Amino acid sequence: MTQKYLLAGRVALVTGGGGEIGGAIAKRFAQEGAQIAVGDIRLEAAQACAGEIIKAGGKAIGFQMDVSQPEDCEKAVRAAVEAFGKLTTLVNVAAAVTPDGTVETISFEDWNRALAVNLSGAFLTCKYGVPELRRAGGGTIINIASQLGQIGVPGRAPYSSSKAALIRLTTCIACDHAEDGIRANTLSPGAIDTARTLRRWGTREKANEMRGPLYLLGRTGQVDEIAAGAVFLASDESSFMTGADLLIDGGFLAFKSKTT
Ligand SMILES: NC(=O)c1ccc[n+]([C@@H]2O[C@H](COP(=O)([O-])OP(=O)(O)OC[C@H]3O[C@@H](n4cnc5c(N)ncnc54)[C@H](O)[C@@H]3O)[C@@H](O)[C@H]2O)c1
C-alpha cells in the first residue's frame, strides 16, 4: 500500500509559526506533504521552524511579520506565492500576550493590541490571502481561536472577546467565499502545555494539577493534538465542513467541573 499524504500539493502560510502550537502545525503540515511559509513577529523563531522542516526533508521559508500590519500580511502572502507558486491554505495562529484585568484596569492600548493581533491579524491575512486561494482553485482557512472564545472568563476580556469575534469572523468568511471553493473554520484549543500556559501556572506539573480536574479527560492537551485537528481541517478529510468551530478541549466546555 502506498502512503497517502493528506496535504500533498498544498502551500500553507502559518502565522505565529515560531510559537509552539504554530510550530507543531507547520511541522505536521510539512510531514503531510505541504510546503510552508512560516511567519512570526520573532524572526529567529520563524526561521528556526522553517529550518527544522527543511532539515527533515520538507520545503519551507521563514520570515518576520507583524500580523497587525497590513503591509506585512500582504508581503507574507506574496512571499509564499513567490517561493512556492501558489497559496492554498491559511493558518492564523499568532496571538498577543495580554495582561489580565477588568475593563477598569486594562489599558485601552492593551485592549487594542489584543484585537489588532488576534482578530485583525486574521482579517488581514485573509484579505490578502483569499484572492490567492481563489486563484489556486480553492483552499482552506483555519483560524486558531480558543475554548475561552465561547465563555466569559474573569480577568481576560481582551483575549476572550477577540477569540469570540474570531469565531464569528470565520463563519462570515465561510459564507462569503464558499462559492470560491474556500472553506473557513476555527479550531478552538483547550489549555495546551505550552509556554503560554506555563507563564500562567509556572510549571507543567502545576498547570496539570490546577487545570486537569477542569477537563473531562483529567489533563491539559498537547500541541500535537492541536496539529492533528489542523491537518484534518486543512485536508479533504473535512471536505463537508465550513463555517464551523472544531473544539479540541478535552471536554472542558462539556461539564461544569469535577471539583465543584
Ligand atoms: N496554549 C494554550 O493553552 C492555548 C489555548 C487556547 C488557544 N491557544 C491559541 O493558540 C495559538 C498559539 O498559542 P501558543 O500557546 O503556541 O502561543 P505562543 O505564544 O507560543 O505562540 C504565538 C506566536 O505568535 C507570535 N506572535 C505574537 N504576536 C505576533 C504578531 N503581532 N505577528 C506575528 N506573530 C506574532 C509569537 O511570537 C508566538 O510565536 C494562539 O492563537 C493562542 O491564543 C492557545
Side-chain angles (χ1 to χ4, degrees):
M1 218 163 62
T2 52
Q3 186 178 353
K4 185 182 165 205
Y5 292 99
L6 290 171
L7 301 179
R10 308 289 171 91
V11 177
L13 168 61
V14 182
T15 76
E20 292 182 62
I21 290 176
I25 291 173
K27 286 175 234 167
R28 184 67 209 283
F29 273 32
Q31 284 164 12
E32 292 293 347
Q35 301 174 95
I36 316 290
V38 183
D40 202 286
I41 201 159
R42 296 176 299 129
L43 174 64
E44 277 181 21
Q47 288 179 331
C49 177
E52 275 188 61
I53 291 170
I54 293 165
K55 207 169 159 202
K59 294 207 170 96
I61 53 170
F63 47 80
Q64 199 271 338
M65 74 183 292
D66 179 345
V67 297
S68 70
Q69 300 303 313
E71 56 279 12
D72 282 16
C73 294
E74 192 176 10
K75 262 198 266 171
V77 167
R78 212 181 315 130
V81 173
E82 277 171 15
F84 303 121
K86 63 180 175 178
L87 184 66
T88 67
T89 312
L90 271 175
V91 192
N92 287 298
V93 189
V97 176
T98 328
D100 286 3
T102 68
V103 288
E104 270 190 306
T105 61
I106 292 165
S107 72
F108 191 42
E109 211 176 25
D110 284 334
W111 167 260
N112 280 335
R113 184 72 189 154
L115 292 182
V117 177
N118 303 4
L119 178 62
S120 302
F123 168 85
L124 288 169
T125 60
C126 290
K127 181 174 189 55
Y128 298 110
V130 159
E132 291 300 335
L133 267 53
R134 188 191 294 114
R135 221 186 316 278
T140 50
I141 295 168
I142 299 150
N143 291 331
I144 305 299
S146 170
Q147 62 182 9
L148 303 185
Q150 305 267 6
I151 53 174
V153 193
R156 302 198 64 192
Y159 184 78
S160 180
S161 307
S162 68
K163 294 297 189 176
L166 182 60
I167 291 169
R168 188 52 68 245
L169 168 67
T170 309
T171 56
C172 292
I173 293 170
C175 294
D176 289 337
H177 296 290
E179 64 186 21
D180 297 318
I182 296 172
R183 297 187 295 109
N185 296 288
T186 41
L187 191 169
S188 288
I192 305 301
D193 285 351
T194 65
R196 181 174 283 269
T197 330
L198 294 188
R199 261 194 301 272
R200 196 160 284 277
W201 300 106
T203 63
R204 264 173 224 284
E205 292 68 32
K206 187 78 181 160
N208 254 311
E209 185 193 321
M210 300 302 291
R211 304 300 290 165
L214 301 177
Y215 287 76
L216 273 183
L217 298 181
R219 63 173 177 86
T220 48
Q222 302 299 314
V223 293
D224 290 344
E225 295 174 309
I226 301 307
V231 168
F232 169 69
L233 289 179
S235 75
D236 292 341
E237 298 291 297
S238 62
S239 52
F240 196 49
M241 195 168 168
T242 195
D245 182 46
L246 179 61
L247 180 65
I248 304 185
D249 75 338
F252 177 85
L253 290 184
F255 81 133
K256 191 160 178 303
S257 145
K258 285 182 195 170
T259 53
T260 55

